[in-house]
Amino acid sequence: TPLYSSAASDVYKRQIYSYDIFNNSGTFQGAYNTTIPSAISKAITAGVKVINNSWGTTTAINARSKSSWESSYSTSITSYESLATNNIISVWAAGNQGATQVSFEAGIPHYWTSTADHWIAVVAIDTNGKETSYTNRCGVAAAWCISAPGHAIYSVEDDGTYTNMNGTSQAAPHVAGAIAILIETFPNLTAKQIVSRLLDTASTSGLTGYYGESYSEAIFGVGKMDLDKATKPIAVLGLSVAGTNTSNSTSYTLNSTK
């Protein structure tokens, strides 16, 4: 479900697009190399800013070589690269196989590095910051991987009723929604800068592996998403006082000078 935010006459208009790629039996509507490029083309044409992908194949990104993936999915891979070219941020559920690596789709930048600045993989933690039993770990995707709540999330069922659900598919929309807020909060930032801001402000505090491990990038990536911190100033403003250039001036931070 892509989220789109654009400014018009000082009023923000939000639109949500839903592109169906699966049929009722849970299989692709047509071949992978047809269905995915078609959906991506529609998203680009619609001008979406961020796409939430609460789905993915079960094979880990590094289970196959780059050439092997390309032999099967070359058309779709080209489409994935076009998302980054068009400055669309792609958020991916890491997968629910309890594996040490993310799925093929969540791990795309591992082989196709041009997508890295616009790609985010999401692993699931519970409300206490503990790794869930089912989530895939970040593994080789650590640099573009973030942790978000995915356990006992109040969600809608296929029949329209509501229930608590578990999975990285519940964690990913937290991140996609956060990005939509950041795009609205900082309309002058590029997609790359939005991704950077979200990843750079993540917190590693309180994160615990399923077996009691302390925080590591291989499990949690950059850490737990912190939207509050991401919407606030990151750097401290500094003032250069006296002198005619920076080499003979004294620098003070506003923090120290009050």
Side-chain angles (χ1 to χ4, degrees):
T1 303
L3 304 175
Y4 174 53
S5 176
S6 65
S9 304
D10 298 322
V11 176
Y12 279 96
K13 295 181 178 179
R14 302 172 186 85
Q15 293 175 294
I16 297 177
Y17 297 87
S18 179
Y19 299 113
D20 293 333
I21 59 174
F22 298 106
N23 55 34
N24 289 338
S25 63
T27 57
F28 282 105
Q29 296 181 22
Y32 189 103
N33 274 327
T34 302
T35 304
I36 301 306
S38 174
I40 288 175
S41 176
K42 291 175 183 177
I44 292 172
T45 300
V48 301
K49 300 297 183 183
V50 54
I51 302 180
N52 179 73
N53 297 276
S54 282
W55 68 278
T57 51
T58 58
T59 306
I61 179 63
N62 62 349
R64 296 173 62 177
S65 66
K66 181 179 181 180
S67 60
S68 176
W69 283 119
E70 288 176 336
S71 68
S72 300
Y73 301 129
S74 60
T75 306
S76 291
I77 290 167
T78 299
S79 291
Y80 289 141
E81 290 179 299
S82 72
L83 288 171
T85 303
N86 284 276
N87 290 311
I88 297 174
I89 300 170
S90 299
V91 178
W92 290 89
N96 302 322
Q97 287 71 53
T100 58
Q101 303 290 342
V102 299
S103 69
F104 158 61
E105 291 85 0
I108 286 287
H110 178 57
Y111 290 131
W112 299 276
T113 55
S114 63
T115 63
D117 293 332
H118 296 77
W119 223 256
I120 301 180
V122 187
V123 298
I125 55 176
D126 66 17
T127 54
N128 297 314
K130 182 179 179 180
E131 177 191 19
T132 62
S133 61
Y134 46 81
T135 186
N136 288 349
R137 292 181 167 185
C138 293
V140 297
W144 62 90
C145 192
I146 198 167
S147 307
H151 199 71
I153 305 300
Y154 200 51
S155 307
V156 65
E157 286 274 26
D158 291 338
D159 61 3
T161 60
Y162 288 86
T163 185
N164 286 329
M165 298 181 72
N166 305 322
T168 56
S169 288
Q170 276 64 54
H174 281 87
V175 176
I179 288 172
I181 290 172
L182 290 177
I183 290 172
E184 180 177 320
T185 306
F186 305 104
N188 294 324
L189 293 186
T190 65
K192 178 181 177 179
Q193 290 170 330
I194 291 290
V195 170
S196 239
R197 174 171 281 269
L198 192 69
L199 297 181
D200 290 347
T201 55
S203 170
T204 61
S205 176
L207 292 174
T208 308
Y210 185 70
Y211 299 103
E213 306 98 318
S214 58
Y215 162 78
S216 74
E217 290 182 349
I219 300 176
F220 300 105
V222 296
K224 177 175 56 179
M225 184 181 75
D226 188 337
L227 180 57
D228 181 57
K229 189 175 180 181
T231 56
K232 293 179 178 177
I234 295 176
V236 176
L237 178 63
L239 299 177
S240 183
V241 180
T244 57
N245 56 61
T246 55
S247 63
N248 63 11
S249 297
T250 302
S251 179
Y252 299 93
T253 67
L254 295 187
N255 241 7
S256 63
T257 61
K258 305 300 181 185

